Amino acid sequence: MKKTSTRLADGRELIYYDLRDDTVRTAADRRPLDRTVTTSEIRRDVLLGDSVAIASHRQGRTYHPPADECPLCPTQGERLSEIPDSSYDVVVFENRFPSLAGDSGRCEVVCFTSDHDASFADLTEEQARLVLDAWTDRTSELSHLPSVEQVFCFENRGEEIGVTLGHPHGQIYAYPFTTPRTALMLRSIAAHKEATGGENLFDAVLRRETADRRVVLEGEHWVAFVPYAAHWPYEVHLYPRRRVPDLLALDEAARTEFPQVYLELLRRFDRIFAAGDGGRGQGAADEPRTPYIAAWHQAPFGALEEFDGVTRDDFALRLELFTIRRTSGKLKFLAGSESGMNVFINDVPPERAAERLREVASS
């Protein structure tokens, strides 16, 4: 992997990640951009104990442009974009409309490929490995910023999820605090550790889940399963078999196998509705690609004193992949119980979801 860092016309950082070591990146951003001005502010909710990012400048962000005006495609002639060069493998740049900025953290965009019509599932294993390397590198770099406590790499796909740019891309949020969901898990780890005389909660969960019938696919170094208490209709957790706290700690064997397992998992997600969904409404052959969120959970880099003896090494890196589609043509909406009380109601039994994802395996 070759890494080349440059600056866009408004001062934001852009980084090329190339497969070839001899690739040269010298193209300049020719757009007449003013310096980016953000109004991001973190406000604390004293009742819930969590934080909210107030970012009014995001109202003006680019919204569903036509394909020939996509800002994530490479620059071609006088059609100028966020990427000055005429081609790229993987590119990362500071978001022009960030939710977090300055002392409130940082937001970056990760473009997986220059092919506007592709999806992550269309990548080769070599390309997917390059994305993994980019995620890892950005986690390392962002973790050293004084304002950052936790790094979150994720992908939103599909208009149903709220994606405003169709180009295959993800994002990285570098938070100035430990996120509420991670804090809940850290408290559960601490409680389990005390109750069992030191057993790791993630090890116990992985042991239980892989012994059940909700395993979807597995390799030598990774295993994917639908969790016992899945919140979403089709939800899969992908764990490395060797517990590590973050992407930086993955060994070479796990890095090599990851693209094989993850690409197959994504392709199965695209097939679960196109192939029909087990009597709950048959998916048409031209069913749109499954909308999903893919979220990496990594240990915070900040202090963990409030979590009763828990260390970073007690946390387990994993990727959570889920869709809000519950059957062909129907979405799972977060209504009263979910939005008002955070109590999820899942219409698809996790065992059935795992069965469907096994049925649509590649031949």
Side-chain angles (χ1 to χ4, degrees):
M1 178 186 77
K2 181 179 181 181
K3 176 183 175 182
T4 306
S5 179
T6 185
R7 293 282 171 179
L8 296 174
D10 55 7
R12 289 175 293 132
E13 185 178 19
L14 179 143
I15 306 159
Y16 295 98
Y17 292 90
D18 288 297
L19 291 168
R20 291 175 55 96
D21 290 336
D22 59 352
T23 303
V24 177
R25 300 293 185 186
T26 58
D29 185 1
R30 294 180 281 134
R31 296 172 298 171
L33 297 180
D34 294 328
R35 284 276 173 174
T36 300
V37 177
T38 62
T39 57
S40 179
E41 176 189 357
I42 301 297
R43 296 187 180 181
R44 184 76 172 171
D45 186 322
V46 296
L47 290 178
L48 296 178
D50 59 13
S51 300
V52 177
I54 309 297
S56 60
H57 61 277
R58 284 175 53 79
Q59 289 280 28
R61 66 187 185 274
T62 307
Y63 187 80
H64 293 301
D68 60 358
E69 297 178 16
C70 175
L72 305 186
C73 287
T75 289
Q76 297 293 334
E78 295 306 309
R79 191 190 67 75
L80 308 179
S81 76
E82 289 278 64
I83 295 89
D85 217 325
S86 59
S87 66
Y88 64 85
D89 292 333
V90 172
V91 72
V92 177
F93 59 88
E94 289 184 76
N95 198 321
R96 191 177 178 188
F97 303 96
S99 302
L100 309 168
D103 292 339
S104 297
R106 176 159 157 153
C107 291
E108 298 182 340
V109 176
V110 184
C111 297
F112 304 139
T113 170
S114 60
D115 184 350
H116 181 85
D117 297 318
S119 175
F120 200 117
D122 298 322
L123 301 182
T124 65
E125 290 183 12
E126 184 181 35
Q127 289 173 311
R129 169 61 190 265
L130 184 61
V131 176
L132 175 64
D133 290 341
W135 282 331
T136 305
D137 181 71
R138 296 315 300 152
T139 296
S140 176
E141 293 291 326
L142 293 170
S143 72
H144 289 97
L145 296 180
S147 63
V148 172
E149 284 196 14
Q150 188 171 3
V151 179
F152 176 46
C153 307
F154 65 100
E155 179 191 1
N156 299 328
R157 189 181 79 168
E159 290 187 22
E160 300 94 328
I161 297 294
V163 173
T164 58
L165 296 175
H167 195 102
H169 73 287
Q171 299 181 66
I172 302 175
Y173 277 22
Y175 296 101
F177 51 79
T178 296
T179 60
R181 191 148 184 249
T182 301
L184 283 173
M185 287 184 276
L186 291 169
R187 293 188 184 99
S188 295
I189 293 169
H192 185 83
K193 197 173 186 179
E194 181 178 4
T196 61
E199 181 184 47
N200 182 271
L201 178 58
F202 285 111
D203 291 350
V205 167
L206 188 59
R207 186 169 58 250
R208 182 188 71 182
E209 297 284 11
T210 53
D212 216 313
R213 56 195 177 100
R214 291 182 306 279
V215 172
V216 174
L217 64 114
E218 51 189 328
E220 183 179 354
H221 304 284
W222 295 86
V223 58
F225 56 86
V226 178
Y228 173 75
H231 289 57
W232 298 94
Y234 289 90
E235 174 182 341
V236 175
H237 294 187
L238 178 61
Y239 276 67
R241 292 187 184 274
R242 182 177 68 89
R243 173 166 46 89
V244 295
D246 54 36
L247 290 166
L248 303 172
L250 287 174
D251 60 23
E252 182 57 30
R255 292 181 182 281
T256 299
E257 188 181 76
F258 171 77
Q260 305 163 25
V261 177
Y262 187 49
L263 290 172
E264 171 61 17
L265 190 58
L266 291 178
R267 290 161 187 167
R268 292 190 193 192
F269 256 62
D270 274 342
R271 289 194 292 267
I272 50 177
F273 299 110
D277 55 359
R280 298 175 185 269
Q282 294 299 305
D286 60 352
E287 181 82 35
R289 292 183 186 236
T290 301
Y292 65 71
I293 292 175
W296 280 107
H297 290 261
Q298 305 192 80
F301 290 95
L304 300 178
E305 286 85 355
E306 65 180 289
F307 301 107
D308 298 325
V310 172
T311 69
R312 294 191 77 251
D313 289 335
D314 290 320
F315 198 84
L317 170 77
R318 70 197 182 286
L319 187 145
E320 294 186 4
L321 175 69
F322 63 88
T323 179
I324 62 171
R325 187 176 289 167
R326 57 187 174 86
T327 188
S328 181
K330 297 179 181 179
L331 301 180
K332 163 67 178 175
F333 292 101
L334 299 190
S337 185
E338 292 90 352
S339 295
M341 285 295 166
N342 202 29
V343 178
F344 276 67
I345 301 169
N346 190 351
D347 299 330
V348 181
E351 292 74 19
R352 177 55 184 153
E355 182 182 9
R356 284 291 300 132
L357 287 162
R358 289 194 297 269
E359 290 173 351
V360 294
S362 297
S363 56

